[in-house]
Amino acid sequence: MNLEKNFDVIVIGAGHAGCEAAAAAARSGVNTALITNSLSTIGEMSCNPAIGGLGKGHLVREIDALDGIMGIVADQSGIQFRLLNSSRGHAVRGPRTQSDRELYKKYMQEMLLSYCNLSLLYDPVTKFEFSKNKIISIETQSGNSFSAKKFILTTGTFLNGLIHIGDEKISAGRIDEKPTLGLSEQLKKLNFKIGRLKTGTPPRLDGTTINYEELEMQDADEKPYFFSYLTKKINAKQISCGMTYTNDKVHRIIEKNLKRSAMYSGSIKSVGPRYCPSIEDKIVKFKDKQRHQIFLEPESLTTNIVYPNGISTSLPKQIQQEILFKINGLQNVRMIRPGYAIEYDYVFPTELDFTLKTKKIENLYLAGQINGTTGYEEAAAQGIVAGLNAAQSVKNLEPIKFERSQSYIGVMIDDLITKGVSEPYRMFTSRAEYRLTLRADNADLRLTPLAIKYNFISEIRKSKFINKINDLNDFKVILSNKIVSPTVLKKNGIKISQDGRKKSLLQILKFKDVTLEKIRSIFSDIPKYEDEIEDLIKTESHYSGYIEQQKRDISIFEKDENLIIPKNIDYDLVSGLSNEIKRKLKEIRPLTFGQALRIDGVTPAAINILMIYCKNTLRKAS
Amino acid sequence: MSIFALATAPGTSGLAVIRVSGKEAFKVAQTLTKFKKIKPRVANFSSFYDHKNKLIDKGIFIFFQKPNSYTGDDVVEFHIHGSNAVIKYFLKTLSNFKNCRLAKPGEFTKTALLNKKINLLQAESLIDLINSETELQRIQALKVMNEDTTKVYNNLRDQMIKILSDYEAVIDFSDDEVGDNVFSNNRDKLLKINDKIKEIILKGENSEKIREGFKISIIGPTNSGKSSLINCLSNRQVSIVSNVPGTTRDIIETTIMLNGKLVRFFDTAGFRNSKNIVEKKGISLTNKNLKDSDLKLIIFDHTKKIDKKILKLFDLKSILVLNKIDIKSSNKFLEDKIYKPIRISAKKNIGISNLVKTISKKIDDHFTVNKDNIISRQRHTKSLENTVFFIERCLNKKTIDQIDLAAEDLRLAVRNLGEVVGYVNVEELLDRIFKDFCIGK
């Protein structure tokens, strides 16, 4: 067989970022290759067997709105759908599902194979070949060389990965998988700023040895909330999770053995995520807490492996086992493999521009954990940004910019490239300034038009979306054309202020207790639309006042965001800026004045000075 | 959104220029001047009226049609008298227009840049100007920000971060063991913060009074001796700060130092003719004017009949003065005990010390002057008022399904507070959350 060796885009690494990047590039119509160590680890969930969550669920919905693949695969392999924050307001609800690890990989692989212009290669990459500031090809273990116009590096925790279990150190990217060595040294030589982060994972348990009888169980939602706008029904069997707790005995064992944990013995110096603390951390930092919750999450319908969510640890193996025996329900548990902490290299994301292209190598993109993030969803979202933009660049088309005002993806990209990271970056809804506007339910309204505009969307999805928009608009017109008086409403049991002013049905929907069912019971000629559309209308009415306010804020934001700073500006020539601010501007090289203002320590006065300088030099130049 | 600001240096001066820029500028000019047609780039002499048709001042205004203006948007410049009172009232009137707000520092320049107008200016000198502007602001801020006031603001900021982080934690970490009782836990704290901010605003207003002078209206029939009294007080006291007759047709203002207090006397034309005030519709307007004043001096010629209608205006914040006691009169002022009149002769300089003492005491009685004002700029007051607005809106939300809206209100409150005390960024919030809650399954 004749092995194809020249591609438009080569994606290195087939985790969540890599898969999404490869699919996005292929969807954009360029000749793409995804190269990884082996077929069996494509789409591997290295840590917890779940997709979505608060903030993260928003990201997956957005990926799906861009015709990405994570949402569909998560839906197909979902074994416990739960809409988090369902008792809270719509804007902060986060879809989540536990996914069957095996099914997830299976469907992900099938999905990737379905792209005809995407080649999958299984061969560890050992080296980049450079020509000046460009990568021309990569070399692999088998001695092959592959060339491409653009390269996307998505190596996750594999760059110089080092696993810690107690005082044991294993060089690895994931457990039992070889790390990627040498690549980060190559990047270092090119003056890339490289740092080191840490993350951890709990031990894995044999589910057949867990005594569930005494444990509280948590079920899936009765009505699943899917990630994908295309998914209509559940594909896999739904399961329940057990819940148990640590206790005083456990805490004492940990305290006694603290010095033996890699985290506390001094062997790990890098920073880990605060929102995902190890059990050691929880006990040291929250001494007063009597117990900590543990969710026992089955990893698959076909294996017995259980993921005990809440006790990530780097204690020695036998201590981990000792602890498990003291936990209710786990008295006889068999530990399949110990938990561990892993340290890995990451590239300072301030090295990247908004397309995730590195500023130093003109055809290299980085996506995923390599950029200092954590989480499958964050990785996949970066993958789609890098993949789409690499393809745009191959086709000599304009780059696609995701704005903070438009998507969580935009919030994340801007945070990464403008502020950098000091700990593994995770999405939270609190990071989004326009949270009430950027909801999980309207991800398609926000982003699918972009997919249509740049033509990386399947026909099915496109026509479905257009139909939805039409229905939505029709319904809005019907509702706003129907004008009623408060007295009529009062007669029918809808209490709104009797100010005598007539209102449209759309305006009435704003009120808390007014539902479309209620309206239909009064005005029987109002047609019924799909739940998706009805929910959207109700939600938007509910938030309308706040959304209007955010719209105004967004237009102010966009004004600043449209003020471009000349690319070749020499900050040293700008008089009146402090050296500190100059240094930061030189490092980040913000694209717009809006972005410049978001850099820590850059003041509005400095921005004014910069603006005047830019206008003045531009005038002289022209 | 249109913006406006005083374009000339603050402080009393012969002339002040107020600039309005944006879509509403033209409409603002029409409303204030009652001109229907306004030719661009022509200086017009006009009276300026507020929303209630009250005359504010007379002066010159010029309309610059976009793009031929400083900012590139429609701009109107009002050249008015440079008295603090007039400037303040003018700005207040402008802020009552829909979609008009006080400009932020450098905002006119920024708009000019946005509209590509900056090339009309000497860029270098502008840099210097902005630098000196911020330097001035910095010095001014430092002055206000002594250790104690910094403490007050930082304290507020910390409390707000703490509360907002509670709300955000309930949203972002609901699957962890973060309590749902965020509303009840924080209600009292929010109320307390709200009260504190209101107190700051009030103190600011009082201290503005110290800076700008206490307003005293002098009311009395014609020839009761108002002018003589003012002259007498002015001559007697060491320093006359200003004497600006007729900044408006209606108001005569005299500012003097009185026992170490800056006091501004107003004589309203309406009261110069006592018969008119009760008959004319203008009474409500005049009454409003009276309400704005901190103190009233009601003055009668004791040889003449007391006008009962004027006497009705007497209240706790009034001093009744009987003038011309050097002339004998058979009139008896019956209700001495209620009105406690001060008997003077402005002409012969009798009883003036007593009057000065009484005025001074009355001011002390009614305005516990807070020396710990910590508001340094007018826009801070606005930001603090907005903060109060959003806190109160947040307090109206009581159920967990409104947590996102409550959090949004709080975010807006914090953002407005941030305009005064420094912005709160997400990292600070997260720091707070991770410190207080055991997050992470």
Side-chain angles (χ1 to χ4, degrees), chain A residues 85 88 274-275 277 282 286 310 428-430 432 435 543 546 550 615 619, chain B residues 118-119 168 171-174 180 397 403-404 408-409 411 431 437 439-441:
Chain A
N85 271 352
R88 273 81 157 151
R274 283 174 301 177
Y275 38 83
K282 289 186 192 178
F286 297 92
F428 299 110
T429 71
S430 43
R435 182 162 62 194
Y543 286 114
Y546 283 81
Q550 294 206 332
K615 289 288 171 183
R619 185 167 59 95
Chain B
I118 201 68
N119 53 356
E168 295 288 352
I171 290 172
D172 265 337
F173 301 98
S174 66
D180 266 9
K397 313 225 157 59
I403 182 81
D404 51 348
E408 185 67 18
D409 289 334
R411 283 170 161 217
D431 282 347
F437 299 103
I439 299 298
K441 286 190 288 191

mmCIF file of all heavy atoms in Angstrom, chain A residues 85 88 274-275 277 282 286 310 428-430 432 435 543 546 550 615 619, chain B residues 118-119 168 171-174 180 397 403-404 408-409 411 431 437 439-441:
data_model
loop_
_atom_site.group_PDB
_atom_site.id
_atom_site.type_symbol
_atom_site.label_atom_id
_atom_site.label_comp_id
_atom_site.label_asym_id
_atom_site.label_seq_id
_atom_site.Cartn_x
_atom_site.Cartn_y
_atom_site.Cartn_z
ATOM 1 N N ASN A 85 -27.734 21.906 37.964
ATOM 2 C CA ASN A 85 -28.374 23.197 38.262
ATOM 3 C C ASN A 85 -29.793 23.280 37.733
ATOM 4 O O ASN A 85 -30.274 24.366 37.435
ATOM 5 C CB ASN A 85 -27.567 24.360 37.669
ATOM 6 C CG ASN A 85 -26.509 24.870 38.632
ATOM 7 O OD1 ASN A 85 -26.473 24.463 39.783
ATOM 8 N ND2 ASN A 85 -25.667 25.759 38.155
ATOM 9 N N ARG A 88 -31.885 25.724 39.281
ATOM 10 C CA ARG A 88 -31.464 27.110 39.135
ATOM 11 C C ARG A 88 -31.969 27.684 37.816
ATOM 12 O O ARG A 88 -32.609 26.997 37.049
ATOM 13 C CB ARG A 88 -29.926 27.195 39.135
ATOM 14 C CG ARG A 88 -29.337 27.295 40.514
ATOM 15 C CD ARG A 88 -29.252 25.961 41.171
ATOM 16 N NE ARG A 88 -28.243 25.947 42.211
ATOM 17 C CZ ARG A 88 -28.298 25.172 43.274
ATOM 18 N NH1 ARG A 88 -29.318 24.364 43.460
ATOM 19 N NH2 ARG A 88 -27.327 25.176 44.155
ATOM 20 N N ARG A 274 -7.106 23.892 41.678
ATOM 21 C CA ARG A 274 -7.686 24.030 43.015
ATOM 22 C C ARG A 274 -9.085 23.442 43.105
ATOM 23 O O ARG A 274 -9.539 23.059 44.161
ATOM 24 C CB ARG A 274 -7.769 25.515 43.388
ATOM 25 C CG ARG A 274 -6.456 26.108 43.789
ATOM 26 C CD ARG A 274 -6.609 27.594 43.987
ATOM 27 N NE ARG A 274 -7.068 28.240 42.761
ATOM 28 C CZ ARG A 274 -7.337 29.530 42.667
ATOM 29 N NH1 ARG A 274 -7.217 30.303 43.719
ATOM 30 N NH2 ARG A 274 -7.734 30.048 41.517
ATOM 31 N N TYR A 275 -9.778 23.389 41.951
ATOM 32 C CA TYR A 275 -11.165 22.920 41.977
ATOM 33 C C TYR A 275 -11.212 21.413 41.872
ATOM 34 O O TYR A 275 -12.260 20.813 41.805
ATOM 35 C CB TYR A 275 -11.944 23.540 40.816
ATOM 36 C CG TYR A 275 -11.091 23.613 39.604
ATOM 37 C CD1 TYR A 275 -10.952 22.522 38.784
ATOM 38 C CD2 TYR A 275 -10.324 24.752 39.352
ATOM 39 C CE1 TYR A 275 -10.092 22.564 37.725
ATOM 40 C CE2 TYR A 275 -9.466 24.799 38.292
ATOM 41 C CZ TYR A 275 -9.360 23.701 37.481
ATOM 42 O OH TYR A 275 -8.485 23.721 36.440
ATOM 43 N N PRO A 277 -9.109 19.179 43.909
ATOM 44 C CA PRO A 277 -8.029 18.902 44.857
ATOM 45 C C PRO A 277 -7.914 17.406 45.148
ATOM 46 O O PRO A 277 -8.897 16.670 45.036
ATOM 47 C CB PRO A 277 -8.474 19.660 46.108
ATOM 48 C CG PRO A 277 -9.958 19.729 46.007
ATOM 49 C CD PRO A 277 -10.301 19.742 44.555
ATOM 50 N N LYS A 282 -7.765 18.175 50.469
ATOM 51 C CA LYS A 282 -9.049 18.465 51.125
ATOM 52 C C LYS A 282 -8.903 18.336 52.630
ATOM 53 O O LYS A 282 -9.453 19.126 53.385
ATOM 54 C CB LYS A 282 -10.118 17.486 50.641
ATOM 55 C CG LYS A 282 -10.563 17.700 49.214
ATOM 56 C CD LYS A 282 -11.718 16.775 48.899
ATOM 57 C CE LYS A 282 -12.006 16.745 47.413
ATOM 58 N NZ LYS A 282 -13.095 15.826 47.092
ATOM 59 N N PHE A 286 -9.169 21.716 54.684
ATOM 60 C CA PHE A 286 -10.485 21.824 55.329
ATOM 61 C C PHE A 286 -10.564 20.858 56.498
ATOM 62 O O PHE A 286 -11.340 19.917 56.500
ATOM 63 C CB PHE A 286 -11.596 21.603 54.304
ATOM 64 C CG PHE A 286 -11.599 22.644 53.236
ATOM 65 C CD1 PHE A 286 -10.895 22.457 52.051
ATOM 66 C CD2 PHE A 286 -12.271 23.838 53.415
ATOM 67 C CE1 PHE A 286 -10.875 23.439 51.069
ATOM 68 C CE2 PHE A 286 -12.253 24.820 52.433
ATOM 69 C CZ PHE A 286 -11.555 24.626 51.264
ATOM 70 N N GLY A 310 -13.751 11.900 43.669
ATOM 71 C CA GLY A 310 -13.613 12.655 44.919
ATOM 72 C C GLY A 310 -12.384 12.281 45.724
ATOM 73 O O GLY A 310 -12.073 12.916 46.718
ATOM 74 N N PHE A 428 -15.656 27.923 34.040
ATOM 75 C CA PHE A 428 -16.734 28.123 35.002
ATOM 76 C C PHE A 428 -17.702 29.115 34.375
ATOM 77 O O PHE A 428 -17.286 29.945 33.578
ATOM 78 C CB PHE A 428 -16.209 28.755 36.297
ATOM 79 C CG PHE A 428 -15.187 27.937 37.005
ATOM 80 C CD1 PHE A 428 -13.868 28.349 37.048
ATOM 81 C CD2 PHE A 428 -15.535 26.755 37.631
ATOM 82 C CE1 PHE A 428 -12.914 27.599 37.702
ATOM 83 C CE2 PHE A 428 -14.583 26.001 38.286
ATOM 84 C CZ PHE A 428 -13.274 26.419 38.318
ATOM 85 N N THR A 429 -18.951 29.035 34.769
ATOM 86 C CA THR A 429 -19.884 30.023 34.200
ATOM 87 C C THR A 429 -19.516 31.421 34.692
ATOM 88 O O THR A 429 -19.788 32.400 34.035
ATOM 89 C CB THR A 429 -21.355 29.741 34.581
ATOM 90 O OG1 THR A 429 -21.544 30.016 35.959
ATOM 91 C CG2 THR A 429 -21.743 28.308 34.279
ATOM 92 N N SER A 430 -18.860 31.497 35.857
ATOM 93 C CA SER A 430 -18.529 32.830 36.366
ATOM 94 C C SER A 430 -17.463 33.529 35.538
ATOM 95 O O SER A 430 -17.239 34.714 35.687
ATOM 96 C CB SER A 430 -18.104 32.761 37.835
ATOM 97 O OG SER A 430 -17.239 31.685 38.053
ATOM 98 N N ALA A 432 -17.762 33.929 32.389
ATOM 99 C CA ALA A 432 -18.445 34.591 31.271
ATOM 100 C C ALA A 432 -19.127 35.858 31.758
ATOM 101 O O ALA A 432 -19.991 35.807 32.619
ATOM 102 C CB ALA A 432 -19.469 33.638 30.653
ATOM 103 N N ARG A 435 -23.172 36.003 30.959
ATOM 104 C CA ARG A 435 -23.653 34.658 31.270
ATOM 105 C C ARG A 435 -25.106 34.443 30.907
ATOM 106 O O ARG A 435 -25.489 33.355 30.487
ATOM 107 C CB ARG A 435 -23.453 34.414 32.779
ATOM 108 C CG ARG A 435 -23.860 33.051 33.237
ATOM 109 C CD ARG A 435 -23.258 32.710 34.573
ATOM 110 N NE ARG A 435 -23.693 33.617 35.622
ATOM 111 C CZ ARG A 435 -23.104 33.685 36.815
ATOM 112 N NH1 ARG A 435 -22.075 32.903 37.093
ATOM 113 N NH2 ARG A 435 -23.538 34.520 37.719
ATOM 114 N N TYR A 543 -35.676 36.266 30.470
ATOM 115 C CA TYR A 543 -34.456 37.040 30.683
ATOM 116 C C TYR A 543 -34.454 38.382 29.958
ATOM 117 O O TYR A 543 -33.460 39.103 29.993
ATOM 118 C CB TYR A 543 -33.235 36.248 30.189
ATOM 119 C CG TYR A 543 -32.850 35.111 31.094
ATOM 120 C CD1 TYR A 543 -32.960 33.795 30.680
ATOM 121 C CD2 TYR A 543 -32.355 35.363 32.367
ATOM 122 C CE1 TYR A 543 -32.603 32.739 31.507
ATOM 123 C CE2 TYR A 543 -31.997 34.320 33.203
ATOM 124 C CZ TYR A 543 -32.121 33.018 32.772
ATOM 125 O OH TYR A 543 -31.768 32.000 33.592
ATOM 126 N N TYR A 546 -32.824 41.621 31.290
ATOM 127 C CA TYR A 546 -31.389 41.475 31.544
ATOM 128 C C TYR A 546 -30.620 41.329 30.241
ATOM 129 O O TYR A 546 -29.517 41.832 30.094
ATOM 130 C CB TYR A 546 -31.133 40.254 32.430
ATOM 131 C CG TYR A 546 -31.467 40.501 33.879
ATOM 132 C CD1 TYR A 546 -32.768 40.423 34.336
ATOM 133 C CD2 TYR A 546 -30.466 40.831 34.776
ATOM 134 C CE1 TYR A 546 -33.074 40.656 35.662
ATOM 135 C CE2 TYR A 546 -30.754 41.068 36.110
ATOM 136 C CZ TYR A 546 -32.062 40.977 36.552
ATOM 137 O OH TYR A 546 -32.361 41.219 37.864
ATOM 138 N N GLN A 550 -27.503 43.393 28.714
ATOM 139 C CA GLN A 550 -26.250 42.784 28.262
ATOM 140 C C GLN A 550 -25.959 43.151 26.812
ATOM 141 O O GLN A 550 -24.801 43.314 26.435
ATOM 142 C CB GLN A 550 -26.307 41.259 28.432
ATOM 143 C CG GLN A 550 -26.380 40.877 29.893
ATOM 144 C CD GLN A 550 -25.835 39.496 30.185
ATOM 145 O OE1 GLN A 550 -25.857 38.609 29.335
ATOM 146 N NE2 GLN A 550 -25.343 39.313 31.397
ATOM 147 N N LYS A 615 -2.868 56.298 16.451
ATOM 148 C CA LYS A 615 -3.494 57.177 15.466
ATOM 149 C C LYS A 615 -2.458 58.117 14.863
ATOM 150 O O LYS A 615 -2.443 58.361 13.669
ATOM 151 C CB LYS A 615 -4.598 58.001 16.137
ATOM 152 C CG LYS A 615 -5.794 57.179 16.504
ATOM 153 C CD LYS A 615 -6.585 56.779 15.272
ATOM 154 C CE LYS A 615 -7.654 55.764 15.685
ATOM 155 N NZ LYS A 615 -8.404 55.268 14.551
ATOM 156 N N ARG A 619 -1.216 58.188 10.995
ATOM 157 C CA ARG A 619 -1.427 59.385 10.194
ATOM 158 C C ARG A 619 -0.139 59.772 9.475
ATOM 159 O O ARG A 619 -0.125 60.093 8.310
ATOM 160 C CB ARG A 619 -1.897 60.524 11.100
ATOM 161 C CG ARG A 619 -2.275 61.792 10.351
ATOM 162 C CD ARG A 619 -3.017 62.714 11.276
ATOM 163 N NE ARG A 619 -2.207 63.047 12.432
ATOM 164 C CZ ARG A 619 -1.446 64.163 12.486
ATOM 165 N NH1 ARG A 619 -1.402 64.981 11.473
ATOM 166 N NH2 ARG A 619 -0.757 64.417 13.559
ATOM 167 N N ILE B 118 -8.831 62.306 15.747
ATOM 168 C CA ILE B 118 -7.701 62.712 16.563
ATOM 169 C C ILE B 118 -6.618 63.392 15.744
ATOM 170 O O ILE B 118 -5.858 64.172 16.254
ATOM 171 C CB ILE B 118 -7.141 61.512 17.351
ATOM 172 C CG1 ILE B 118 -6.351 61.996 18.552
ATOM 173 C CG2 ILE B 118 -6.320 60.587 16.480
ATOM 174 C CD1 ILE B 118 -7.203 62.650 19.583
ATOM 175 N N ASN B 119 -6.584 63.108 14.430
ATOM 176 C CA ASN B 119 -5.513 63.707 13.649
ATOM 177 C C ASN B 119 -5.617 65.231 13.549
ATOM 178 O O ASN B 119 -4.743 65.891 13.081
ATOM 179 C CB ASN B 119 -5.424 63.085 12.255
ATOM 180 C CG ASN B 119 -6.752 63.139 11.569
ATOM 181 O OD1 ASN B 119 -7.733 63.578 12.168
ATOM 182 N ND2 ASN B 119 -6.788 62.710 10.327
ATOM 183 N N GLU B 168 -21.710 32.850 43.313
ATOM 184 C CA GLU B 168 -21.080 32.167 42.179
ATOM 185 C C GLU B 168 -20.793 30.707 42.524
ATOM 186 O O GLU B 168 -20.882 29.826 41.676
ATOM 187 C CB GLU B 168 -19.784 32.885 41.774
ATOM 188 C CG GLU B 168 -20.000 34.297 41.235
ATOM 189 C CD GLU B 168 -20.633 34.324 39.847
ATOM 190 O OE1 GLU B 168 -20.785 33.266 39.221
ATOM 191 O OE2 GLU B 168 -20.982 35.428 39.387
ATOM 192 N N ILE B 171 -23.704 28.601 42.003
ATOM 193 C CA ILE B 171 -23.955 28.345 40.589
ATOM 194 C C ILE B 171 -22.925 27.370 40.013
ATOM 195 O O ILE B 171 -23.284 26.365 39.407
ATOM 196 C CB ILE B 171 -23.929 29.667 39.796
ATOM 197 C CG1 ILE B 171 -25.158 30.501 40.148
ATOM 198 C CG2 ILE B 171 -23.881 29.397 38.299
ATOM 199 C CD1 ILE B 171 -25.143 31.897 39.577
ATOM 200 N N ASP B 172 -21.676 27.648 40.249
ATOM 201 C CA ASP B 172 -20.642 26.876 39.550
ATOM 202 C C ASP B 172 -20.266 25.574 40.245
ATOM 203 O O ASP B 172 -19.622 24.720 39.656
ATOM 204 C CB ASP B 172 -19.379 27.733 39.377
ATOM 205 C CG ASP B 172 -19.361 28.420 38.019
ATOM 206 O OD1 ASP B 172 -20.032 27.908 37.105
ATOM 207 O OD2 ASP B 172 -18.694 29.446 37.866
ATOM 208 N N PHE B 173 -20.622 25.444 41.502
ATOM 209 C CA PHE B 173 -20.223 24.231 42.212
ATOM 210 C C PHE B 173 -21.398 23.595 42.920
ATOM 211 O O PHE B 173 -21.268 23.069 44.010
ATOM 212 C CB PHE B 173 -19.103 24.560 43.205
ATOM 213 C CG PHE B 173 -17.900 25.151 42.521
ATOM 214 C CD1 PHE B 173 -17.700 26.517 42.493
ATOM 215 C CD2 PHE B 173 -16.995 24.329 41.860
ATOM 216 C CE1 PHE B 173 -16.614 27.062 41.828
ATOM 217 C CE2 PHE B 173 -15.919 24.877 41.196
ATOM 218 C CZ PHE B 173 -15.725 26.243 41.178
ATOM 219 N N SER B 174 -22.561 23.648 42.263
ATOM 220 C CA SER B 174 -23.754 23.151 42.928
ATOM 221 C C SER B 174 -23.670 21.654 43.165
ATOM 222 O O SER B 174 -24.317 21.124 44.039
ATOM 223 C CB SER B 174 -24.978 23.474 42.100
ATOM 224 O OG SER B 174 -24.931 22.753 40.900
ATOM 225 N N ASP B 180 -27.439 25.825 49.793
ATOM 226 C CA ASP B 180 -28.433 26.519 48.993
ATOM 227 C C ASP B 180 -28.930 27.787 49.672
ATOM 228 O O ASP B 180 -29.645 28.565 49.069
ATOM 229 C CB ASP B 180 -29.632 25.590 48.761
ATOM 230 C CG ASP B 180 -29.477 24.843 47.452
ATOM 231 O OD1 ASP B 180 -28.388 24.927 46.860
ATOM 232 O OD2 ASP B 180 -30.443 24.183 47.047
ATOM 233 N N LYS B 397 -34.761 39.218 45.015
ATOM 234 C CA LYS B 397 -34.807 37.831 44.524
ATOM 235 C C LYS B 397 -34.617 36.904 45.709
ATOM 236 O O LYS B 397 -33.680 37.069 46.483
ATOM 237 C CB LYS B 397 -33.724 37.626 43.486
ATOM 238 C CG LYS B 397 -33.725 38.770 42.475
ATOM 239 C CD LYS B 397 -33.615 38.318 41.077
ATOM 240 C CE LYS B 397 -34.158 39.358 40.110
ATOM 241 N NZ LYS B 397 -33.516 40.662 40.141
ATOM 242 N N ILE B 403 -31.362 32.430 41.084
ATOM 243 C CA ILE B 403 -29.978 32.636 41.510
ATOM 244 C C ILE B 403 -29.146 33.296 40.412
ATOM 245 O O ILE B 403 -28.292 34.133 40.688
ATOM 246 C CB ILE B 403 -29.332 31.300 41.963
ATOM 247 C CG1 ILE B 403 -27.908 31.491 42.446
ATOM 248 C CG2 ILE B 403 -29.323 30.261 40.857
ATOM 249 C CD1 ILE B 403 -27.792 31.974 43.839
ATOM 250 N N ASP B 404 -29.432 32.943 39.158
ATOM 251 C CA ASP B 404 -28.630 33.538 38.081
ATOM 252 C C ASP B 404 -28.906 35.032 37.934
ATOM 253 O O ASP B 404 -27.999 35.815 37.666
ATOM 254 C CB ASP B 404 -28.836 32.793 36.745
ATOM 255 C CG ASP B 404 -30.290 32.626 36.374
ATOM 256 O OD1 ASP B 404 -31.160 32.866 37.234
ATOM 257 O OD2 ASP B 404 -30.570 32.254 35.231
ATOM 258 N N GLU B 408 -26.457 38.086 38.738
ATOM 259 C CA GLU B 408 -26.233 39.126 37.737
ATOM 260 C C GLU B 408 -26.362 40.519 38.382
ATOM 261 O O GLU B 408 -25.533 41.391 38.138
ATOM 262 C CB GLU B 408 -27.251 38.973 36.598
ATOM 263 C CG GLU B 408 -27.038 39.925 35.431
ATOM 264 C CD GLU B 408 -25.760 39.663 34.661
ATOM 265 O OE1 GLU B 408 -25.197 38.564 34.800
ATOM 266 O OE2 GLU B 408 -25.305 40.567 33.945
ATOM 267 N N ASP B 409 -27.368 40.679 39.214
ATOM 268 C CA ASP B 409 -27.528 41.958 39.922
ATOM 269 C C ASP B 409 -26.290 42.265 40.750
ATOM 270 O O ASP B 409 -25.781 43.376 40.748
ATOM 271 C CB ASP B 409 -28.754 41.906 40.840
ATOM 272 C CG ASP B 409 -30.046 41.900 40.053
ATOM 273 O OD1 ASP B 409 -30.055 42.411 38.918
ATOM 274 O OD2 ASP B 409 -31.041 41.363 40.558
ATOM 275 N N ARG B 411 -23.286 41.066 40.344
ATOM 276 C CA ARG B 411 -22.157 41.361 39.467
ATOM 277 C C ARG B 411 -22.176 42.814 39.042
ATOM 278 O O ARG B 411 -21.156 43.492 39.027
ATOM 279 C CB ARG B 411 -22.232 40.501 38.191
ATOM 280 C CG ARG B 411 -21.820 39.079 38.371
ATOM 281 C CD ARG B 411 -22.193 38.327 37.100
ATOM 282 N NE ARG B 411 -21.448 37.083 36.992
ATOM 283 C CZ ARG B 411 -20.989 36.594 35.852
ATOM 284 N NH1 ARG B 411 -21.187 37.229 34.724
ATOM 285 N NH2 ARG B 411 -20.332 35.460 35.833
ATOM 286 N N ASP B 431 -10.502 32.706 43.863
ATOM 287 C CA ASP B 431 -9.653 32.576 45.049
ATOM 288 C C ASP B 431 -10.507 32.446 46.296
ATOM 289 O O ASP B 431 -10.284 31.614 47.148
ATOM 290 C CB ASP B 431 -8.769 33.827 45.218
ATOM 291 C CG ASP B 431 -7.584 33.803 44.276
ATOM 292 O OD1 ASP B 431 -7.321 32.734 43.704
ATOM 293 O OD2 ASP B 431 -6.935 34.852 44.104
ATOM 294 N N PHE B 437 -14.737 27.202 50.251
ATOM 295 C CA PHE B 437 -15.489 25.970 50.037
ATOM 296 C C PHE B 437 -14.552 24.834 49.663
ATOM 297 O O PHE B 437 -13.576 25.041 48.955
ATOM 298 C CB PHE B 437 -16.503 26.143 48.897
ATOM 299 C CG PHE B 437 -17.514 27.204 49.156
ATOM 300 C CD1 PHE B 437 -17.397 28.438 48.539
ATOM 301 C CD2 PHE B 437 -18.568 26.987 50.015
ATOM 302 C CE1 PHE B 437 -18.328 29.436 48.776
ATOM 303 C CE2 PHE B 437 -19.498 27.981 50.256
ATOM 304 C CZ PHE B 437 -19.390 29.202 49.630
ATOM 305 N N ILE B 439 -14.124 22.490 47.293
ATOM 306 C CA ILE B 439 -14.660 22.262 45.960
ATOM 307 C C ILE B 439 -13.947 21.085 45.318
ATOM 308 O O ILE B 439 -12.751 20.896 45.502
ATOM 309 C CB ILE B 439 -14.421 23.507 45.083
ATOM 310 C CG1 ILE B 439 -15.127 24.726 45.662
ATOM 311 C CG2 ILE B 439 -14.810 23.261 43.659
ATOM 312 C CD1 ILE B 439 -16.601 24.610 45.729
ATOM 313 N N GLY B 440 -14.656 20.340 44.542
ATOM 314 C CA GLY B 440 -13.999 19.267 43.788
ATOM 315 C C GLY B 440 -14.360 17.921 44.361
ATOM 316 O O GLY B 440 -14.129 17.635 45.512
ATOM 317 N N LYS B 441 -14.970 17.137 43.478
ATOM 318 C CA LYS B 441 -15.416 15.830 43.960
ATOM 319 C C LYS B 441 -14.241 14.885 44.106
ATOM 320 O O LYS B 441 -13.207 15.090 43.504
ATOM 321 C CB LYS B 441 -16.452 15.269 42.996
ATOM 322 C CG LYS B 441 -17.764 15.995 43.142
ATOM 323 C CD LYS B 441 -18.865 15.312 42.398
ATOM 324 C CE LYS B 441 -18.712 15.468 40.900
ATOM 325 N NZ LYS B 441 -19.885 15.030 40.165
#
